Amino acid sequence: MTLILLSGISKVFRSRTGGTWTAIAEFNLRLDAGEFYCLLGPSGCGKTTVLGMLAGFTAPSTGRLEVAGQPVRGASRERGVVFQGDDSLYPWLTAIENIEFGLRLNGIPRRERRARAMHYLQMVGLTGQEAKHPTELSGGMKQRVQIARALANEPQILLMDEPFGALDAQTRATMQSELRRIWQETQTTVVFITHDIDEAIILGTRVGVMTAGPGGRLKDDLTIDMAGERLRTDPRYTAFYARIHGLLRDEVARASQRSAA
């Protein structure tokens, strides 16, 4: 069943001087419920703009943007967002209070919201850390709190903008494994922005590659049909990496040429 539809989407920004800049042009994508979709592309191609439109933070200039058959007209708790940095956590709240925050705004009774928040805190592997404040948590732990906070609202869609980009390699690998486990458990639809080809192959059921900006669009869309653990020594993994790398290499070269012009 189609859950997300972007058809003929463009996004034009206007500068303070009156000029215009086209971030996205003729972007088309259709996602079914339960997919884990990773979106790659060179810097400035418009990946985060796509995510922002899906989140309802900004509206398309033209085209159709629908979730579950309904136009996206603003932010919604049905679309949870996890950002790259940890500055979206409230430093004066504990981990469990941060996870409860959206539930409290939605009027969920205290006992019910605490039980739900504890469920998701345990799901992300933070049992025993609920009373700590963000300053007492590592970078990986803070990202786990962000994920738990988004999941606690039980959204249809989880939108993730390079959430592991600032983590060290070992913590990042652990978080990738944990996120894939959580996705398999919840079957929440995920749209995940990344620059990392390995990360996209490890996580995604599909991987999209965008063209260089301005006017970025979807260049190719690959189904990652690998069952079980995804090992870099698997010939299928190597083949996917080579194909995606080739697509990105060409677009990065175009982006560099445009910058130099």
Side-chain angles (χ1 to χ4, degrees), residues 12-16 18-21:
V12 179
F13 292 99
R14 193 171 296 277
S15 71
R16 293 181 179 178
T20 59
W21 174 64

Side-chain angles (χ1 to χ4, degrees), residues 116-256:
R116 193 190 297 185
M118 284 298 297
H119 169 74
Y120 286 104
L121 180 111
Q122 292 164 2
M123 180 181 287
V124 300
L126 287 178
T127 302
Q129 308 298 321
E130 56 269 19
K132 291 185 177 179
H133 288 80
T135 54
E136 301 173 282
L137 300 173
S138 68
M141 287 178 171
K142 292 174 187 177
Q143 289 304 90
R144 289 172 188 257
V145 173
Q146 279 211 78
I147 294 169
R149 182 174 63 182
L151 290 172
N153 289 306
E154 298 179 347
Q156 283 185 299
I157 301 165
L158 190 59
L159 305 170
M160 309 186 79
D161 190 3
E162 297 191 70
F164 308 146
L167 302 179
D168 63 85
Q170 186 173 353
T171 303
R172 184 170 186 159
T174 299
M175 291 300 298
Q176 289 166 354
S177 178
E178 286 296 295
L179 178 59
R180 187 161 178 82
R181 176 188 60 78
I182 291 165
W183 167 73
Q184 289 171 334
E185 184 174 336
T186 64
Q187 286 299 294
T188 302
T189 305
V190 179
V191 179
F192 189 101
I193 303 299
T194 181
H195 279 96
D196 191 312
I197 300 174
D198 281 309
E199 186 166 68
I201 298 172
I202 288 167
L203 292 174
T205 57
R206 285 167 59 193
V207 174
V209 178
M210 290 184 65
T211 62
R217 58 178 175 78
L218 197 60
K219 179 178 183 178
D220 207 347
D221 193 309
L222 293 76
T223 298
I224 310 298
D225 51 354
M226 294 177 63
E229 188 177 2
R230 297 179 177 184
L231 302 174
R232 290 175 175 83
T233 53
D234 188 323
R236 294 172 299 169
Y237 189 109
T238 305
F240 278 123
Y241 189 100
R243 184 173 174 188
I244 296 169
H245 182 269
L247 292 167
L248 279 174
R249 180 188 58 216
D250 293 344
E251 295 309 317
V252 169
R254 288 190 180 93
S256 297

